[in-house]
Amino acid sequence: MISLTMRFIKIIFFIYVFLISTNLLSQSNTYNTSIPNKGEGLNAFLIRNNLNPTEHKAEFIELNKKNLGKKNSLRKDVAYKLPNTEKWIEEPLFGKDRSKFKLDSNILKGTVFHLVSGHGGPDPGALGKYGDKTLAEDEYAYDITLRLAKRLMENGAKVNMIIQDENDGIRDESFLRMSDDETCMGATIPLDQMKRLKQRTEAVNKLYAQNKPAYQRCVVIHVDSRSTGKSIDVFFYHAPKSKSGKKAAEEIRSVFNTKYNKHQPSRGYSGVVKDRNLYVLRKTIPTAVFVELGNIRNFSDQQRFILQDNRQALANWMYEGLLNDFKKHK
């Protein structure tokens, strides 16, 4: 009796696995279809269906070879399968739930961005209090930097995350757990400030040399610390005499100004673009922009960081500004 029951269970299990695998297979092999217009050639047909003949013709012919005429001509009233052009990207640093994502566009194809979140490792940066919670600059700067990196990669850019934490990923909690396991691209971050700054600028400069002559930008993201009563807007800095740095900073600031005028028209926006004689701006070879996101000790500014929707908005707006800078550069 037991052996018969076990045999029955095994049969049911194999049937279940077969059905699941068949369903997954059928899902992976589903294609959109299209019927050619009268007299339409193959290239025109592909272009009309948002396909590049150079890239997709061979795959199209392979998918539809049984239904094509002589010399791969299209037949009237035949619904042809269209190649699946969806491309997926994988970046483990974004966390388990966000590590795989679709490529939305190639608008930033050929660009390279070096993203540097402030502090990290043995140095948490500025600290703020929110009730009984401690807010650490490096955790919030890192989360926003990851969100910016994902937006850039979704649109075809190559992104180098200079500061990395393999355990965090993009987080949606309001209060981000403090840790000291961040690295500079795998290397231990020194406690000494000057050694820290030198380490990350050298990492950026090495990558810059490897990616010449591509359009490259370095974005350094920090959170300020001032008296608790002082609320500040997002500020942007560039190296002294850096015309390209000033232009990039102004493009990002312009987006922030537009967004604040749209979403909070009575508030006003006072964030400015300035040059600053900061080490990372002076020593970084690619055009660099230093972003100061607000005062981590001010209650009003803290809403900019602790709400994940606001962190995403900051990343989205910086992305738009960088995209505008790239478009004008072209």
Side-chain angles (χ1 to χ4, degrees):
M1 174 68 91
I2 293 175
S3 60
L4 288 174
T5 302
M6 291 301 296
R7 189 179 301 173
F8 178 74
I9 291 173
K10 286 182 179 179
I11 292 172
I12 295 297
F13 174 76
F14 283 120
I15 292 174
Y16 173 77
V17 170
F18 174 76
L19 291 173
I20 290 293
S21 61
T22 303
N23 183 50
L24 290 174
L25 185 63
S26 65
Q27 287 179 6
S28 63
N29 288 335
T30 56
Y31 297 93
N32 292 327
T33 60
S34 178
I35 298 174
N37 295 328
K38 185 178 180 181
E40 190 171 39
L42 179 52
N43 282 3
F45 173 79
L46 292 174
I47 292 171
R48 180 167 63 83
N49 286 284
N50 299 313
L51 296 169
N52 185 322
T54 304
E55 295 180 17
H56 303 117
K57 183 185 287 187
E59 184 180 356
F60 174 84
I61 291 171
E62 182 63 25
L63 283 172
N64 298 281
K65 55 188 177 183
K66 293 181 180 180
N67 293 315
L68 293 170
K70 291 182 179 180
K71 297 182 179 181
N72 297 320
S73 60
L74 301 175
R75 291 176 173 171
K76 182 182 177 182
D77 298 329
V78 174
Y80 288 102
K81 295 177 182 178
L82 302 175
N84 187 344
T85 58
E86 278 190 354
K87 293 184 179 180
W88 289 79
I89 306 169
E90 185 168 3
E91 176 47 74
L93 284 175
F94 296 155
K96 183 179 179 181
D97 295 336
R98 291 180 167 98
S99 61
K100 293 182 179 180
F101 52 97
K102 279 199 304 184
L103 176 70
D104 290 337
S105 80
N106 271 313
I107 195 169
L108 286 171
K109 186 177 182 180
T111 65
V112 180
F113 292 89
H114 314 284
L115 304 186
V116 187
S117 60
H119 304 278
D123 176 23
L127 299 175
K129 295 295 290 185
Y130 193 96
D132 62 347
K133 304 292 185 181
T134 299
L135 311 181
E137 173 182 3
D138 64 333
E139 302 297 339
Y140 289 90
Y142 183 67
D143 188 74
I144 293 165
T145 304
L146 285 178
R147 293 170 186 270
L148 172 59
K150 187 169 182 289
R151 290 286 284 125
L152 291 166
M153 292 176 67
E154 285 171 342
N155 290 280
K158 178 179 179 180
V159 176
N160 296 310
M161 285 290 298
I162 305 303
I163 304 303
Q164 303 178 357
D165 188 328
E166 296 181 353
N167 300 315
D168 282 346
I170 297 173
R171 294 175 283 176
D172 291 338
E173 311 94 277
S174 293
F175 304 107
L176 303 183
R177 179 185 61 85
M178 294 174 61
S179 66
D180 60 1
D181 57 349
E182 295 86 4
T183 69
C184 181
M185 303 196 77
T188 301
I189 298 175
L191 177 60
D192 180 80
Q193 182 186 25
M194 189 52 64
K195 289 181 179 179
R196 268 202 323 271
L197 296 176
K198 185 177 181 183
Q199 180 189 56
R200 56 195 65 191
T201 53
E202 287 181 349
V204 171
N205 292 341
K206 183 178 179 180
L207 290 164
Y208 171 78
Q210 294 171 0
N211 288 279
K212 289 175 68 176
Y215 167 95
Q216 301 189 53
R217 293 291 182 266
C218 176
V219 183
V220 185
I221 297 177
H222 278 255
V223 182
D224 205 347
S225 177
R226 306 191 186 189
S227 67
T228 57
K230 187 171 181 60
S231 175
I232 60 174
D233 273 322
V234 181
F235 284 76
F236 308 94
Y237 303 107
H238 59 87
K241 299 181 181 179
S242 174
K243 293 181 180 179
S244 56
K246 183 179 180 181
K247 287 180 180 178
E250 287 175 342
E251 289 296 339
I252 305 173
R253 183 204 174 276
S254 178
V255 171
F256 273 70
N257 188 53
T258 300
K259 298 296 184 181
Y260 270 105
N261 286 338
K262 177 181 179 181
H263 298 293
Q264 300 183 50
S266 61
R267 177 188 182 279
Y269 177 71
S270 60
V272 297
V273 171
K274 292 182 179 179
D275 62 29
R276 281 189 71 180
N277 194 32
L278 298 173
Y279 183 94
V280 291
L281 293 175
R282 286 189 288 107
K283 297 295 185 179
T284 301
I285 297 174
T287 295
V289 177
F290 189 106
V291 185
E292 202 79 76
L293 293 172
N295 179 8
I296 201 167
R297 299 178 64 196
N298 176 267
F299 178 80
S300 178
D301 287 7
Q302 286 170 345
Q303 309 310 305
R304 211 175 291 160
F305 317 125
I306 66 171
L307 301 177
Q308 70 93 8
D309 285 346
N310 288 346
R311 297 200 295 272
Q312 187 61 54
L314 290 168
N316 291 345
W317 298 355
M318 284 189 281
Y319 161 76
E320 287 186 38
L322 292 166
L323 176 60
N324 292 341
D325 178 61
F326 172 61
K327 288 178 177 179
K328 291 186 179 179
H329 177 83
K330 288 202 301 181

